[in-house]
Amino acid sequence: MEESQTWRELLGQVLSEPLERQRIADALGIHPVTLTRWATNRSNPRPENLEALLNALPKCRQRLAELLKTEYPDLSNSLVQERIRDEIPSTFYSRVLNAYTSIPPILRDSTISALILQQMLGHIDPDQAGMAIFVAQCVPPLPTHKVHSLRRTAGRGTLPWESHMDSQTQFFGAESPLGQALIQGRTMAVSDYATAFALCPHQPPAATLSALIFPILQSSRCIGCLCIVSTQPIHYLQIHHELISYYVDLIVLSFEQQDLYELSDIDLGLVPSYTLQQPYLAYFSQRVTQCMLQSVRNNRPLTRPQAEQKVWQQFEEEFLNLPFDASQ
């Protein structure tokens, strides 16, 4: 949807879909022609209709509210305020701290990560307009080597994405906004759908409008990045920048000290597109099994987590050695 300059333009874009026009009219209890007259500036809605209109359009509520205030400067702030509170509930902090102190170490990291991602998703996308949130973690380097890539390790989403995205692995390097966010140590905003889609290519491309990426840092050390991909325009994510940053700080608790790397040890390479990664990733389980069997033959048996990490490192090396084509 194109960026609208007035609330009437925005409404006109929404009404271009007949089924959506009828849905909104039914929600407001008015004739669809009345909506068209508002959009074309041939009549004005009553105050009670403005509130109903905002409630009927959760996906663009914030933008519509901003534009309405331009034409109706006396409009009540309580009417147009964003439904999302810009703070994490204190009760949720308590839940995370309780999990941190009571859950066995082997389950603690994944449990806390899942708690935070699910809470964050429900907080920032309460109307389930369409959002995916995932963590891309530094791939553990071989001894004496530097960090050369990031790998998606956990995620949660609402339609059109899957609710649980932990198995949707993808590697990222310096060519990606995630890589740049980590290298530069600052938030990166993505406002074009093609780039945003490449960050989370598991739904129709047209559904993806924007993304916001935060490096996950602890002092001078880094863990990776947290990425939010949305069906909303970028300004929606930027409005909640501070709230998201609180969650990014909190998610540091879901990692161990060995997951942190000095910024001086980050030396990202160029990783091929997800399309080229897929043929390799499809054989992940098979290669882990082969790795474990080989370790037994060598009288150096590996646990499954150890074998998985070794295979991820092998994938990284293979991807970095593939010819990179920025047009892919």
Side-chain angles (χ1 to χ4, degrees):
M1 186 177 293
E2 296 180 2
E3 189 74 7
S4 304
Q5 300 302 313
T6 70
W7 73 270
R8 296 181 192 273
E9 288 181 8
L10 176 57
L11 180 60
Q13 292 181 34
V14 174
L15 299 181
S16 63
E17 171 54 51
L19 291 177
E20 183 69 357
R21 181 169 62 247
Q22 187 62 56
R23 181 193 70 79
I24 298 170
D26 291 343
L28 273 63
I30 60 177
H31 196 280
V33 172
T34 302
L35 289 171
T36 302
R37 290 175 62 84
W38 294 350
T40 55
N41 202 16
R42 287 185 288 169
S43 68
N44 297 311
R46 293 192 294 270
E48 60 269 24
N49 284 331
L50 291 178
E51 181 174 9
L53 183 62
L54 285 168
N55 292 334
L57 296 170
K59 291 185 178 182
C60 55
R61 178 188 176 96
Q62 181 67 27
R63 180 60 178 164
L64 180 60
E66 294 170 355
L67 294 174
L68 279 168
K69 288 285 286 185
T70 300
E71 186 169 332
Y72 299 94
D74 296 329
L75 199 63
S76 169
N77 287 329
S78 62
L79 175 62
V80 301
Q81 68 183 359
E82 174 57 43
R83 294 171 55 240
I84 298 175
R85 294 185 61 188
D86 286 327
E87 59 183 19
I88 301 175
S90 59
T91 53
F92 183 68
Y93 279 110
S94 298
R95 285 183 63 194
V96 172
L97 291 175
N98 179 260
Y100 187 80
T101 57
S102 62
I103 294 178
I106 193 172
L107 299 173
R108 183 172 57 209
D109 296 353
S110 60
T111 300
I112 293 176
S113 175
L115 273 175
I116 294 173
L117 291 176
Q118 195 62 53
Q119 168 71 19
M120 189 178 181
L121 187 66
H123 194 164
I124 303 172
D125 188 27
D127 298 306
Q128 299 190 6
M131 183 174 290
I133 306 176
F134 67 85
V135 171
Q137 194 172 343
C138 292
V139 175
L142 296 171
T144 72
H145 291 169
K146 294 182 179 292
V147 174
H148 294 314
S149 72
L150 303 169
R151 181 178 69 85
R152 185 174 358 170
T153 57
R156 292 292 184 272
T158 57
L159 291 175
W161 291 274
E162 294 182 11
S163 58
H164 289 69
M165 304 164 59
D166 296 349
S167 62
Q168 297 178 353
T169 298
Q170 184 177 354
F171 283 73
F172 303 93
E175 79 295 333
S176 70
L178 280 86
Q180 289 302 307
L182 188 64
I183 292 170
Q184 299 178 34
R186 65 180 181 88
T187 306
M188 298 289 291
V190 176
S191 57
D192 67 285
Y193 82 89
T195 304
F197 172 70
L199 297 174
C200 200
H202 299 283
Q203 81 298 315
T208 308
L209 290 182
S210 63
L212 202 58
I213 303 144
F214 289 73
I216 306 174
L217 306 172
Q218 186 186 76
S219 186
S220 65
R221 296 188 295 174
C222 61
I223 295 165
C225 291
L226 183 140
C227 179
I228 303 177
V229 182
S230 176
T231 59
Q232 302 277 17
I234 189 60
H235 69 79
Y236 176 85
L237 296 178
Q238 291 174 325
I239 286 171
H240 304 297
H241 184 285
E242 187 173 13
L243 171 62
I244 298 168
S245 70
Y246 296 154
Y247 280 107
V248 175
D249 291 339
L250 189 58
I251 208 168
V252 172
L253 292 177
S254 68
F255 298 95
E256 302 296 330
Q257 288 300 306
Q258 64 265 24
D259 298 323
L260 279 72
Y261 301 92
E262 295 292 337
L263 291 173
S264 59
D265 289 329
I266 305 300
D267 184 21
L268 300 183
L270 299 177
V271 176
S273 69
Y274 179 70
T275 301
L276 295 181
Q277 295 179 35
Q278 279 184 297
Y280 294 79
L281 299 174
Y283 290 94
F284 172 71
S285 294
Q286 181 178 328
R287 289 183 57 165
V288 170
T289 300
Q290 293 172 346
C291 182
M292 294 180 71
L293 291 174
Q294 187 61 47
S295 70
V296 171
R297 296 190 193 100
N298 295 338
N299 294 319
R300 295 180 179 178
L302 298 174
T303 64
R304 185 169 184 86
Q306 290 173 330
E308 289 180 350
Q309 177 170 309
K310 187 171 183 178
V311 172
W312 292 134
Q313 290 170 329
Q314 291 171 352
F315 277 152
E316 177 192 65
E317 183 176 7
E318 291 164 12
F319 292 155
L320 292 172
N321 286 328
L322 287 174
F324 181 78
D325 183 352
S327 64
Q328 293 173 341

